[in-house]
Amino acid sequence: MPEAAVAAAAPTVAGALRDATAVLAAAGCDTPRLDAELLLAHASGVGRERLVLDARAALDPSALARFDALVVRRAAREPVAYIIGRKAFRWIMLHVDRRALIPRPETELLVEVGLTLPFGASVVDVGTGSGAVALALADERPDLTVVGTDMDPGALTVACENGMRLGSKVEFVRADLLDGVDRRFDAVLANLPYVPDGAELPPEVARYEPISALFGGSDGLDVIRRVIAGLPDVPVLGLEVGAGQAPAVAAMLAGSVEVVRDLAGHERVVVARR
Ligand SMILES: C[S@@+](CC[C@H](N)C(=O)[O-])C[C@H]1O[C@@H](n2cnc3c(N)ncnc32)[C@H](O)[C@@H]1O
């Protein structure tokens, strides 16, 4: 084929993005254009802003091949964070893969509860997953002593790896809630499984995220009930909950109880102080 014809066939950055956006929209992805940009930036090893500057440039064939493969994965509804292997959470970047839940923006509220603790306090993030809450809190409040626990060895490995990558001094411990962790903490923060068994979830969650991170019994509150029962006198307890669960969880707690809403207006975190 003449060289000119090959050059004419090579898609531009803008064209590749347009085609991929159509494919992802047809596959039912919520944010197809954004996803396409994130995947193309990852495949090309550049920042997203570069895609705008290079919109009319021809896409390098090897980057195009990598991009096409990533689009196939996203069209099968694999979450972008697992495909590119990272997720920003507050001021830190976490490595994520299928061993651990992808941290959600609303969980940043739990970190904000930790920010209210007095200088030098000790805090444990129960069900730490990727280590998100523990590592972000330690990053923003180096004076705190922070521990993260999880019963899932895969998730705990992801948390430890994130801790090492970030040079964090958070200690990660494998435990069923706080069983066998013979220490007292000034605060307990937890985003534990709270999805009611049998609830319908988007394919991104149902097919790819760890089941052990999601389901909490018939009303979703089995694990939360257990953690509350095991902590009769912790000074500060912050729990992330699902839609409509805050009143039931608040009723299980003693002391002064506050419910914090997320940016979407949902009652998301229940905090008990005594
Ligand atoms: C909803 S995910 C949250 C992960 C992380 N805290 C976050 O917000 O991204 C719940 C986590 O709790 C862990 N988990 C579930 N049951 C547990 C238990 N009984 N003891 C300790 N961890 C548990 C799961 O393995 C999972 O990592």
Side-chain angles (χ1 to χ4, degrees):
M1 192 185 289
E3 215 173 289
V6 173
T12 61
V13 166
L17 280 175
R18 197 175 44 243
D19 293 349
T21 301
V23 168
L24 298 182
C29 299
D30 279 346
T31 53
R33 172 72 190 198
L34 172 64
D35 295 358
E37 288 181 13
L38 290 167
L39 296 179
L40 183 53
H42 183 69
S44 308
V46 299
R48 252 173 84 211
E49 65 289 345
R50 190 77 238 169
L51 303 178
V52 178
L53 299 171
D54 290 348
R56 289 201 271 179
L59 197 52
D60 167 67
S62 59
L64 178 62
R66 283 193 295 275
F67 179 49
D68 284 345
L70 302 185
V71 171
V72 168
R73 288 172 66 181
R74 182 68 191 116
R77 303 297 290 272
E78 184 171 350
V80 171
Y82 285 157
I83 299 174
I84 67 176
R86 62 179 192 276
K87 180 77 183 173
F89 185 79
R90 291 191 68 92
W91 300 102
I92 58 175
M93 186 61 78
L94 295 160
H95 166 87
V96 284
D97 62 36
R98 292 180 66 176
R99 292 173 294 174
L101 190 99
I102 299 165
R104 308 298 205 264
E106 54 271 27
T107 303
E108 296 192 3
L109 291 172
L110 276 182
V111 179
E112 288 176 18
V113 175
L115 295 180
T116 67
L117 294 170
F119 186 88
S122 61
V123 48
V124 60
D125 168 24
V126 181
T128 194
S130 64
V133 172
L135 292 168
L137 189 55
D139 172 62
E140 292 175 51
R141 284 286 306 273
D143 60 293
L144 300 177
T145 299
V146 185
V147 173
T149 74
D150 207 291
M151 71 184 300
D152 184 312
L156 206 62
T157 303
V158 174
C160 289
E161 289 168 358
N162 277 319
M164 280 188 280
R165 201 173 291 115
L166 293 164
S168 174
K169 59 183 173 52
V170 171
E171 181 189 348
F172 290 106
V173 178
R174 186 165 174 207
D176 179 0
L177 300 180
L178 287 169
D179 289 358
V181 182
D182 292 326
R183 288 152 75 166
R184 297 182 71 80
F185 294 95
D186 298 308
V188 174
L189 305 174
N191 174 22
L192 287 161
Y194 55 66
V195 179
D197 289 353
E200 214 174 293
L201 294 168
E204 281 83 352
V205 182
R207 290 184 199 154
Y208 294 95
E209 298 206 88
I211 284 183
S212 54
L214 300 172
F215 295 104
S218 58
D219 65 354
L221 296 177
D222 286 1
V223 192
I224 288 179
R225 257 186 224 100
R226 272 186 60 217
V227 80
I228 292 173
L231 292 166
D233 50 13
V234 65
V236 178
L237 174 58
L239 297 168
E240 179 169 328
V241 298
Q245 294 175 334
V249 172
M252 296 176 207
L253 294 167
S256 138
V257 179
E258 177 198 3
V259 176
V260 185
R261 289 178 187 270
D262 62 22
L263 287 176
H266 300 123
E267 293 183 328
R268 183 59 65 190
V269 169
V270 183
V271 190
R273 296 174 200 274
R274 58 190 139 192

